Amino acid sequence: MNDFIQAYSWINMRFLFEGMWVTVQVAFVSVILSFIMGSILGIIRYAKIPYVSWAVGLLIDLIRNLPLLLIIFFTYFALPHIGVQFSVIGSTIFAMTIFESAMLAEIVRGGVVSVPKGQSEGARSNGLSFGQTLWYILLPQAYKKMIPPIVSQFVSLIKDTSLATIIMLPEMTYRAQIIYAQNPKQIVPMFLMLAFLYFVLNYCLSKVGQVIDKRMVV
């Protein structure tokens, strides 16, 4: 019992909460960037631009079939050898944005394809250009359908930030390791606290997604 009490001391909790703030920051920036990039890539795939859409599709398939950990390794350890160097946080954001963009691109493409073809044909017959049809007709309907899988992908993104402990990103999991390294008897309470904090973050994100989903349906 004393190990639990000591593990949850204010010093340890403050240290852990600072790591949670790093997790939130990295996840938030990665979510915004990957949503923008994933939408662009998904639209390019849907547009079937000669050669370009094929090349984008090949790149997306390549990234989607690679482990995120490998992409983090490549970003942090390999890119500096060709003159591209990021900080630990920058490397994590870059790697996660690339990986999540590929995942979201397929979600976006699938969402647009799922809109009945008659919607696109009706818009074009009324004089709307392809861009106007996409922006005003297809994407608003597609994004309504995409909310659940997009939120699920963002939940995975928050959990995947823990992989960056391998490059010493000072987020929650890394800081928990530092705490129980000083006292191995605190490993169980630290893991329990990590589970609780990840649950809170992901549960809140899921609830936000549900609220947005209900409002868009209405």
Side-chain angles (χ1 to χ4, degrees):
M1 183 60 69
N2 287 334
D3 293 327
F4 273 78
I5 295 175
Q6 293 175 4
Y8 298 143
S9 66
W10 169 241
I11 294 176
N12 286 350
M13 289 299 95
R14 185 177 64 180
F15 187 65
L16 206 58
F17 289 145
E18 289 172 354
M20 184 174 72
W21 176 236
V22 174
T23 297
V24 170
Q25 287 179 304
V26 169
F28 179 77
V29 175
S30 300
V31 162
I32 299 300
L33 295 178
S34 61
F35 179 76
I36 295 172
M37 188 177 296
S39 296
I40 293 173
L41 295 176
I43 291 171
I44 291 174
R45 285 212 68 185
Y46 170 78
K48 295 181 181 178
I49 304 170
Y51 303 109
V52 176
S53 294
W54 177 85
V56 169
L58 182 63
L59 180 63
I60 288 172
D61 288 339
L62 174 64
I63 294 173
R64 289 175 67 237
N65 288 285
L66 293 176
L68 175 56
L69 186 59
L70 178 61
I71 298 176
I72 293 174
F73 273 145
F74 182 84
T75 303
Y76 189 69
F77 293 111
L79 288 185
H81 289 282
I82 58 174
V84 181
Q85 190 161 5
F86 296 101
S87 64
V88 172
I89 292 180
S91 296
T92 305
I93 291 174
F94 182 84
M96 297 190 71
T97 298
I98 295 298
F99 184 77
E100 293 300 326
S101 294
M103 298 297 184
L104 291 175
E106 283 302 291
I107 295 175
V108 171
R109 185 191 66 83
V112 176
V113 169
S114 70
V115 177
K117 196 173 181 180
Q119 298 282 332
S120 177
E121 294 174 346
R124 297 303 295 273
S125 65
N126 281 295
L128 271 67
S129 65
F130 175 78
Q132 290 173 326
T133 300
L134 194 65
W135 184 259
Y136 295 110
I137 306 298
L138 300 182
L139 285 179
Q141 297 182 66
Y143 277 124
K144 290 180 183 179
K145 299 179 180 181
M146 289 187 283
I147 291 175
I150 287 177
V151 171
S152 177
Q153 198 61 45
F154 288 160
V155 167
S156 296
L157 186 149
I158 292 176
K159 293 184 289 186
D160 287 344
T161 57
S162 61
L163 294 174
T165 56
I166 200 69
I167 58 172
M168 294 183 290
L169 177 72
E171 47 78 63
M172 286 193 293
T173 303
Y174 180 75
R175 288 173 182 256
Q177 289 175 346
I178 292 176
I179 292 172
Y180 67 68
Q182 298 173 353
N183 184 355
K185 293 182 179 179
Q186 296 180 356
I187 187 170
V188 173
M190 278 297 104
F191 281 161
L192 291 175
M193 180 56 67
L194 278 178
F196 173 74
L197 293 177
Y198 278 116
F199 169 78
V200 169
L201 289 176
N202 291 320
Y203 182 78
C204 291
L205 179 58
S206 299
K207 285 300 179 182
V208 170
Q210 290 176 10
V211 171
I212 295 175
D213 191 18
K214 289 180 180 178
R215 290 191 176 184
M216 290 189 73
V217 170
V218 174

